[in-house]
Amino acid sequence: MIDQFLATYSTLLATVGINALLAISVWVTLYAGQLTLGNAAFMGIAAYTSALLTLKAGMPFPLVLLAGGVVSAVLAVPLGVTVFRLRGVYLAIATIGFGEVVRVVLLAIPITGKALGLNGIPPKTELWHIALLLTVTAYVLGRVRASTAGRAWAAIREDEVAAASQGIAVRRYKLAAFVIGAFVAGIAGGLSAHLNFAIEPGDFGFVRAVQILVFAVVGGIPSVLGPIVGATLLTALPELLRPLRDYRDVFQGAILLFVIVFLPRGLVTLATLGRTRRLARIGQLDAA
Amino acid sequence: MPEQLYNAIFIGSIYALFAIGFALVFSVLDILNLAHPAVFMLGAFTALFCMATLGLPAGAAVVIAFVATGLFGILLDRVAFAPLRRRDAPPLSAMISSIAVAAIIVRLVELRYGTDFLSYPPESLPSLPFQVGESRLDGLRLVIIGVAFAFMVGLTYLVRGTRLGRELRALAENPRAARLLGVDVERAIAITFFISSGLGGIAGVLLGFAYNSIYPQMGTLYELKAFTVMVVGGMGSLPGAVLGAFILGLGEVASIEFLPSEFRDAFAFGLLFLILVIRPRGLLGHKAVDRV
Amino acid sequence: MLLEVTGLTKHFGGVKAVEAVDLGVDPGQALGIIGPNGAGKTTLINLISGHFRPDAGRVRFDGADVTGLQPHVLTGRGIARTFQGVRLFKGLSLLENMLVGRHVRMRSDVLARLVPLRRATSTDETRVVALLDRVGLARRARDLAGELSYGDQRRLEVARALSSEPKLLILDEPAAGTNRAESAALRDLMRDLRAEGLAIVLIEHDVRLVMGACQRVAVLNFGRRIAEGTPAEVQADPGVREAYLGTEEATA
């Protein structure tokens, strides 16, 4: 029975899993109060890196995944250092700009196959890879959230100036969240490249970045389960409601709108309705 | 050479019209309205509807597109931003809210019109070629440049010379003080959205006319360019948006001359990045960097 | 001298917010800073706590030059502060606020947390709850900081500043809007803290509190220090009277 289920829905489950990883990658920075739209680009960089390593160098799968994640993480450092001086909206725009620069570069340099992208990537990703990595990532980051580092991020999200006064090296923590996010997005990119046989620059653009953000926001900020819930709901629901397939984006938009207006900390806050109501009463309903 | 200059001015005008709407909402409300590109697209498609389905002439279609998108802007505020304002939500929430509306609108238009390029009805757009020296230029673009400038001048007069303009500037400075001084804040915001979205819609129609090719996702590319325009000119500064728009227009046309075409878009984003690193406040804007 | 400020200067555009100010505080001592609105008191505090960089002058703390260091570094060195108007983490609980306050004294437990064992309440938690108890807020440890009354929020902020076990505590208008009993309680708390060796810098408008709780008082006006001494000396100083009450008209 379960085998049949898995067989029928394996692609969907794989997509859900990868989207969940991507959503978690954005969640990390959101938890620290920063809105970044560059994770689709990090996903793309890692996808190409890992695919090229497989195609040209024949490296083993776990290594190419790791390599993709590391390349993204390393690139995130100078980017993070540059943009974290900027506040709010400017940060978001800077990361959007970064995403576009990456997309243009991918379209321009020959090794990436330019607009045609890369084809014939061996399908090495299996469902259990995704499940394992998702579980490990969620577990680790969930525990980090409950530690002193997570508390520091929450403090930064609430009030950066006060957080600095309490001895938190704000820039360092923001950068850490950003780099961790890039790494996780990179792992997702590597998994995705080896799932879909082919990749092209358009897969990793602004639209994708926004989609990932939506998963995280809809799911919610307070816990690492948020992005997982958001990604699952928004990826799986439209697929399962066949007749409404065409309206998937409309539903996603409507759900996002509903969440932002009524439950800005995300759907997971329904599980802690008491605290949510208390936050609303003191005017702290929004996360950042 | 004159042809390139002409194109640069033309594209700069479109960018300017589009970016002004963005900048207006940002300066008055501190919100990055990411539904603006959808409104841009809506203008183009409203005109298409008027001309293809209702058989109206181009001029009437432009006026109707302006009014329709303007009204849509007011609706947008009521649905996506006003509830957030009521509980003093931070600007990032409003940005996400606008993303939601944009997604819905774009998809609905896609479902109605498909995702491919569409053209306006043949013969509906005037063709006015004229000569400048050796080059044959399209007079329609000149009309568009004229219309764009007329709107920009009109907006400048509105902001500087009218009472409404003063109210908007007060609102931009300090909403609470503005309210205390008797400004009807909700009315002023509604008007802001009407103007901002109307201008965005007009930009969409005019662009659609010039290229005679529109599609539901057309807003996205301009949205990204608009970020560059606003960052270069200074977020929230209307003259900055105009300045940034023409710098971008000239820069893009120039870069086509010297760089392979794939890099044309890279110019915009490279410039965006450069400005954010060197001088985030842009040419005419306010401080953008954390003090601490 | 635990804290020694010499010639501290800060200009904003053409405005001289703080001009060549000298100050000093010893351990166990409270220094009050008073002056009319706009005199530069908060700017001075922001310079000492690292939120602004001075244009000129030096800050020495605990034997080292700390001029221009970032706020979080200074907190690590032992300078803690509260803010005018209270800057708490409103969406976090009192306990969480306190634990954040203790950040520089806590060892990072990220790796330890990866193993999901049931942990005993850490010594850090015990310490901060004791501090909450000291300001009378222990029973509300799980409430959200934003749910407290303004007076309670004030006290929480002081407790949070103490969580990092500072050597110097800077209080920026802690008594604004409090009643007589609350400001007396603050005065008592300051006395107890001083007895434990803490140095305190107090910015206040409540002159009674300052004169009653501080051993030395400095007066700022237009960014300059116009008087400094014991409360009695400062109260008798004609320049101080003039600053607060305006120029005495010379009667011919």
Side-chain angles (χ1 to χ4, degrees), chain A residues 111-124:
Chain A
I111 196 174
T112 64
K114 294 193 170 189
L116 293 173
L118 295 175
N119 286 292
I121 307 171
K124 295 198 176 183

Side-chain angles (χ1 to χ4, degrees), chain A residues 35 82 85 246 260-261 286 288, chain B residues 87 90 93 95 107 277 290:
Chain A
L35 185 81
T82 317
R85 307 174 303 136
D246 280 344
I260 251 315
V261 171
D286 297 87
Chain B
R87 62 158 195 265
S93 293
M95 190 176 110
R107 188 60 186 148
V277 170
D290 278 336

Side-chain angles (χ1 to χ4, degrees), chain A residues 33 35 37 79 82-90 92-98 100-101 103-104 107-108 114 160-161 164 171 174 206-207 210 213-214 217 245-250 253-254 256-257 260-262 264 283 285-286 288, chain B residues 26 30 32 34 79-80 83-84 87-93 95-97 99-101 103-104 107-108 110-111 217 220-221 223-224 227 230-231 235 262-263 265-266 269-270 272-273 276-278 280-281 286-292:
Chain A
L35 185 81
L37 284 159
L79 178 67
T82 317
V83 304
F84 277 124
R85 307 174 303 136
L86 307 170
R87 58 179 177 84
V89 164
Y90 296 87
I93 292 180
T95 55
I96 293 173
F98 167 71
E100 282 303 300
V101 169
R103 194 179 59 86
V104 169
L107 276 173
K114 294 193 170 189
E160 270 184 43
V161 172
R171 294 246 184 102
K174 282 193 202 175
F206 179 60
V207 174
V210 168
L213 177 68
V214 170
V217 169
R245 216 170 183 170
D246 280 344
Y247 291 87
R248 183 193 67 185
D249 289 335
V250 177
L256 178 63
L257 191 60
I260 251 315
V261 171
F262 296 111
L285 196 54
D286 297 87
Chain B
F26 187 77
D30 247 348
L32 193 63
L34 294 186
V79 168
L84 269 43
R87 62 158 195 265
D88 241 341
L92 254 28
S93 293
M95 190 176 110
I96 294 174
S97 189
I99 290 175
V101 173
I104 295 172
R107 188 60 186 148
L108 288 177
E110 268 182 355
L111 288 171
Q217 298 267 359
T220 311
L221 180 62
E223 173 177 33
L224 300 171
F227 291 150
M230 288 203 296
V231 166
M235 297 283 291
E262 296 130 338
F263 286 103
D265 289 344
F269 304 119
L272 171 67
F273 226 76
L276 280 172
V277 170
I278 298 179
R281 78 156 87 121
H286 301 288
K287 278 215 129 230
V289 175
D290 278 336
R291 202 193 268 136
V292 177

